[in-house]
Amino acid sequence: MVVYYPENNINYTYFTQTTNYSIENALEHIPICHSYDRSRQRCLLTTLHARTDFAHEHKIHYWIAYGTLIGYLQRGGLLPHDHDIDILILAQDTQYLVPFSNSSFSSAYELKLYPQWSTVGYANRSYFRSEGIHFVAPNARFIDREFHYHVDIWPTYDFHPDQPTNITYLKKTLTDYDRSYSWVSSSIEWTFLLKPCIFSGVKAWCPAIPKRLVSMVYGIEANNETNKKCVNETWINV
């Protein structure tokens, strides 16, 4: 089924989520460096799977991004050394996460919603560590309650935050953070229509042209995210 949002010229296509994924098979192809690597990798992938089920159930649209997207392009899934998963959502869709923040929707997972999520830009936000909010740039985190590995949920805007009244951007671009937390805009066609993809055995959503997005954010530095080797049970840059 395809859903069309005329106000920002975005289509969403739903696909049926099933449980015929195989995280364990995918893990066999992900190298480890330290004995705890495998449990970390397994937790990240099962947390991503839980997050995709949650998103599908509540029709909250997302797509994998940043280092997670690099992993998908370069090895079909999780980078061996990653400690989190990155996804993007339209900033205005954050409102659909509000009912689940700090609620007991799951015994295994929790959703931490950044209290000032409607405030644009990390520099305009404050930390809320007393509330268990140890992040400021993402809009939310989907967290494994036992091991505390998480999926970061980042916002993307259908306007440029530094030029919110410039209609040149309207309906044509999406803007989110680059590696230095500055704003970077890309053609909306690089993201939509979203495509179903398999990320280390987990059914997920990928942007339409992931190579262009990775090149825009990371350039040749994208290789640094994957060119790591194991030395003395530690992943280090080559």
Side-chain angles (χ1 to χ4, degrees):
M1 178 175 66
V2 176
V3 179
Y4 178 60
Y5 290 80
E7 66 274 15
N8 48 23
N9 203 32
I10 292 174
N11 289 283
Y12 289 117
T13 304
Y14 295 117
F15 67 89
T16 302
Q17 182 80 346
T18 66
T19 56
N20 62 346
Y21 67 101
S22 181
I23 287 175
E24 291 304 317
N25 286 345
L27 285 170
E28 294 176 3
H29 303 284
I30 303 177
I32 62 172
C33 181
H34 191 279
S35 57
Y36 61 67
D37 277 355
R38 186 64 80 222
S39 60
R40 169 179 51 79
Q41 294 162 355
R42 179 179 290 107
C43 182
L44 283 171
L45 292 175
T46 54
T47 302
L48 174 62
H49 182 256
R51 175 61 181 79
T52 62
D53 273 352
F54 172 86
H56 178 76
E57 179 181 356
H58 301 288
K59 294 184 171 56
I60 302 172
H61 312 288
Y62 75 93
W63 54 100
I64 62 174
Y66 298 126
T68 303
L69 191 59
I70 291 177
Y72 171 72
L73 284 176
Q74 298 193 357
R75 56 176 301 116
L78 188 69
L79 295 175
H81 55 275
D82 260 356
H83 282 73
D84 59 19
I85 299 285
D86 296 309
I87 66 174
L88 278 168
I89 65 172
L90 289 171
Q92 60 265 35
D93 284 354
T94 308
Q95 63 184 308
Y96 302 122
L97 300 176
V98 172
F100 306 99
S101 177
N102 297 317
S103 67
S104 300
F105 68 90
S106 168
S107 61
Y109 301 98
E110 64 178 332
L111 180 69
K112 290 287 187 180
L113 182 68
Y114 182 76
Q116 297 174 325
W117 64 265
S118 59
T119 299
V120 179
Y122 78 97
N124 300 316
R125 297 179 172 188
S126 305
Y127 281 100
F128 294 84
R129 292 186 176 90
S130 63
E131 300 176 26
I133 306 295
H134 301 289
F135 56 94
V136 68
N139 272 12
R141 274 184 177 170
F142 190 89
I143 306 169
D144 178 276
R145 291 182 183 272
E146 180 177 1
F147 298 106
H148 307 294
Y149 291 111
H150 60 267
V151 175
D152 269 333
I153 304 172
W154 299 84
T156 188
Y157 299 90
D158 54 5
F159 61 90
H160 195 292
D162 292 335
Q163 305 172 36
T165 61
N166 188 337
I167 62 173
T168 300
Y169 293 97
L170 191 63
K171 299 184 179 179
K172 295 183 180 180
T173 64
L174 293 176
T175 302
D176 39 73
Y177 292 117
D178 67 8
R179 297 183 69 200
S180 61
Y181 294 93
S182 298
W183 298 118
V184 60
S185 296
S186 61
S187 168
I188 201 168
E189 294 178 351
W190 294 4
T191 296
F192 297 104
L193 290 173
L194 299 176
K195 301 187 301 184
C197 55
I198 303 296
F199 183 89
S200 289
V202 180
K203 266 188 176 178
W205 285 108
C206 285
I209 313 178
K211 288 183 179 179
R212 289 192 177 182
L213 291 169
V214 166
S215 178
M216 178 190 69
V217 175
Y218 293 91
I220 61 174
E221 296 298 319
N223 290 331
N224 291 342
E225 299 296 316
T226 52
N227 288 342
K228 294 180 183 288
K229 65 179 180 179
C230 180
V231 177
N232 297 327
E233 298 187 330
T234 303
W235 293 104
I236 65 170
N237 292 326
V238 175

